[in-house]
Amino acid sequence: MKQQICILGSTGSIGTQALDVIRQHSDLYEVYCLTANNRVELLAAQAHEFKPAAVVIANETHYGRLKELLADQSDIKVYAGAAALEQIVEAGPVDMVLAAMVGYAGLAPTICAIKARKKICLANKETLVVAGELITRLAMEHHAPILPVDSEHSAIFQCLVGEDMNEVEKLLLTCSGGPFRTFTADRLAAVTVADALQHPTWDMGAKITIDSASLMNKGFEVMEARWLFGVPADKIQVLVHPQSIVHSAVQFADGGVKAQLGVPDMRLPIQYAFSFPQRLHLDGRRLDLFRQPLEFFEPDLDKFKCLALAYEALDKGGNMPCVLNAANEVVNAAFRQSRCSFPGMAHIIEQTMQRATFEAAPDYDTYVRTDAEARRIASELL
Ligand code: NAD
Ligand code: MG
């Protein structure tokens, strides 16, 4: 029996690479559902190739166009809207859900998939940043496994196979440092969107590329690791590693360190989440350690304020990471539209964290309220 996969965000960087994995292993995996927000032409082309049972376009204004493009595919059901995303993940035949949407919008459908006891392959890190406690609790209650897709977390997960969590001393979370790793504060103040979109080692969607330049992405990943592996922040060390070859590592009680290495290619962690505990063949480049220097540096929290703010939000707990995420989504979009400077992003996030209503023990409704309030505050500050 082939595993039936529902892809939330099939037109994105992770989504299209996931489809490449499925293409290479069509004997094992089948697409049950494809979803996107706006890129209706690409979604229709994917549907023509993979013949899913259903497609969902989140932005309802594209529904008519999608119906038109799939008029020749009478077996494919076509839906639109955010509520349809929440329903499709629960469909009986779905074995696993690849959460590869970007941002807070991924939270609600991921919760539905967990409650429907689906295996979750999680790329959408914002889900764990916003509601890590809730998500991990629900996943336990509903026996829904969460497999990491983020390369660092997949690396840590791979290092932990066969190990006892009680014997973990610390997690070593690597970070490329982004395109501005060596910049002075003065140079950082003048960077443009085009500069920030040039990531030195990874080709990703625009939002995460900006988060990687500001190191907010690494702050998010500290939180993601905290929830995925149940390890406190003081046992998660960030190492700037410009080559992006060591994808992360784990140090154990006997001082031994296990790391996972490879060329930067997201298809490996995507495929590993699909196939765990099996390893499958994957086409592509192989690591050549003869031509590969490996360097490690400490991150500069004074220069990269977003990483410091993420540590602060994690330390404060409650709904503060949700505030941080919402403010970041607002300033990230504003920076991409040249409505906010690069250092201005951290400044506005910090002020939003000071002004938003703090809630120590949030539930789902608190997160919805917090997200809306923090977005409003950050937008006013712009
Ligand atoms: P992307 O922008 O390339 O793709 C995002 C996808 O989500 C698209 O298919 C889009 O249609 C869909 N989408 C966006 N907003 C939506 C909404 N409101 N409702 C429904 N669908 C919506 O992003 P990406 O780089 O593929 O990243 C996706 C997620 O994976 C992010 O959370 C990111 O942090 C995480 N991630 C990405 C990478 C990477 O290499 N790209 C690595 C690690 C983690
Ligand atoms: Mg990552």
Side-chain angles (χ1 to χ4, degrees), residues 123 125 149-153 173-174 202 204 208 212 217-218 221 224 247-248 266:
K125 64 189 85 187
V149 168
D150 212 345
S151 57
E152 296 78 1
H153 305 76
L173 188 73
T174 54
W202 294 99
M204 309 177 284
I208 184 177
S212 299
N217 181 55
K218 210 46 56 178
E221 290 186 354
E224 194 184 2
H247 295 307
S248 278
M266 283 308 294

Side-chain angles (χ1 to χ4, degrees), residues 8-28:
L8 298 175
S10 66
T11 56
S13 160
I14 293 290
T16 51
Q17 293 181 85
L19 288 174
D20 195 39
V21 168
I22 295 171
R23 221 177 255 125
Q24 289 196 30
H25 298 288
S26 55
D27 52 328
L28 298 173

Side-chain angles (χ1 to χ4, degrees), residues 7 158 160 245:
I7 304 184
Q158 292 175 57
L160 289 172
I245 293 297

Side-chain angles (χ1 to χ4, degrees), residues 4-330:
Q4 299 288 319
I5 307 181
C6 174
I7 304 184
L8 298 175
S10 66
T11 56
S13 160
I14 293 290
T16 51
Q17 293 181 85
L19 288 174
D20 195 39
V21 168
I22 295 171
R23 221 177 255 125
Q24 289 196 30
H25 298 288
S26 55
D27 52 328
L28 298 173
Y29 307 116
E30 205 160 56
V31 178
Y32 181 82
C33 178
L34 295 168
T35 81
N37 197 28
N38 287 315
R39 298 177 69 186
V40 64
E41 316 278 333
L42 178 56
L43 181 63
Q46 292 176 340
H48 275 107
E49 180 183 352
F50 289 91
K51 308 269 188 284
V55 293
V56 181
I57 186 85
N59 181 342
E60 296 177 47
T61 60
H62 299 303
Y63 178 71
R65 179 72 186 130
L66 185 58
K67 279 291 272 186
E68 213 174 276
L69 289 165
L70 293 175
D72 58 340
Q73 303 287 319
S74 54
D75 291 343
I76 303 180
K77 295 199 184 68
V78 182
Y79 303 105
L85 290 179
E86 296 177 26
Q87 281 161 16
I88 203 72
V89 296
E90 298 174 347
V94 172
D95 296 300
M96 49 184 158
V97 174
L98 173 63
M101 285 163 63
V102 60
Y104 174 84
L107 178 62
T110 303
I111 289 178
C112 292
I114 291 172
K115 288 185 173 168
R117 299 174 180 252
K118 306 300 185 189
K119 169 175 155 179
I120 312 293
C121 301
L122 189 71
N124 178 260
K125 64 189 85 187
E126 292 91 344
T127 287
L128 283 177
V129 170
V130 170
E133 194 274 332
L134 175 72
I135 291 291
T136 43
R137 182 160 45 77
L138 287 175
M140 290 257 273
E141 280 170 19
H142 296 276
H143 305 287
I146 300 183
L147 282 297
V149 168
D150 212 345
S151 57
E152 296 78 1
H153 305 76
S154 175
I156 292 168
F157 183 68
Q158 292 175 57
C159 295
L160 289 172
V161 170
E163 302 290 351
D164 181 339
M165 279 311 291
N166 293 316
E167 288 155 6
V168 170
E169 239 172 42
K170 60 179 171 178
L171 306 182
L172 303 169
L173 188 73
T174 54
C175 165
S176 74
F180 309 137
R181 182 174 62 85
T182 58
F183 279 33
T184 59
D186 282 350
R187 272 186 87 192
L188 269 184
V191 301
T192 65
V193 188
D195 299 332
L197 286 174
Q198 294 300 319
H199 196 275
T201 49
W202 294 99
D203 183 9
M204 309 177 284
K207 192 255 178 187
I208 184 177
T209 305
I210 301 303
D211 287 345
S212 299
S214 68
L215 295 208
M216 182 57 93
N217 181 55
K218 210 46 56 178
F220 283 177
E221 290 186 354
V222 172
M223 298 190 196
E224 194 184 2
R226 187 258 168 270
W227 294 112
L228 282 172
F229 307 113
V231 171
D234 62 351
K235 287 185 167 187
I236 306 172
Q237 185 173 352
V238 172
L239 289 84
V240 174
H241 167 48
Q243 293 84 17
S244 299
I245 293 297
V246 177
H247 295 307
S248 278
V250 179
Q251 181 176 310
F252 294 93
D254 56 3
V257 174
K258 275 166 86 175
Q260 189 258 335
L261 286 72
V263 295
D265 181 348
M266 283 308 294
R267 293 176 312 155
L268 189 157
I270 294 167
Q271 175 172 294
Y272 193 73
F274 287 173
S275 70
F276 173 80
Q278 243 191 308
R279 267 188 202 276
L280 305 174
H281 176 81
L282 182 65
D283 285 342
R285 280 197 302 133
R286 296 297 186 249
L287 185 57
D288 179 0
L289 281 170
F290 290 117
R291 280 164 199 77
Q292 188 59 72
L294 300 174
E295 298 171 293
F296 300 92
F297 306 99
E298 266 184 64
D300 184 339
L301 295 184
D302 293 327
K303 221 166 59 182
F304 293 99
K305 198 86 212 296
C306 286
L307 179 55
L309 290 171
Y311 274 116
E312 201 181 304
L314 183 57
D315 186 50
K316 182 102 198 208
N319 65 342
M320 199 50 86
C322 177
V323 173
L324 174 92
N325 178 71
N328 182 60
E329 288 195 24
V330 170

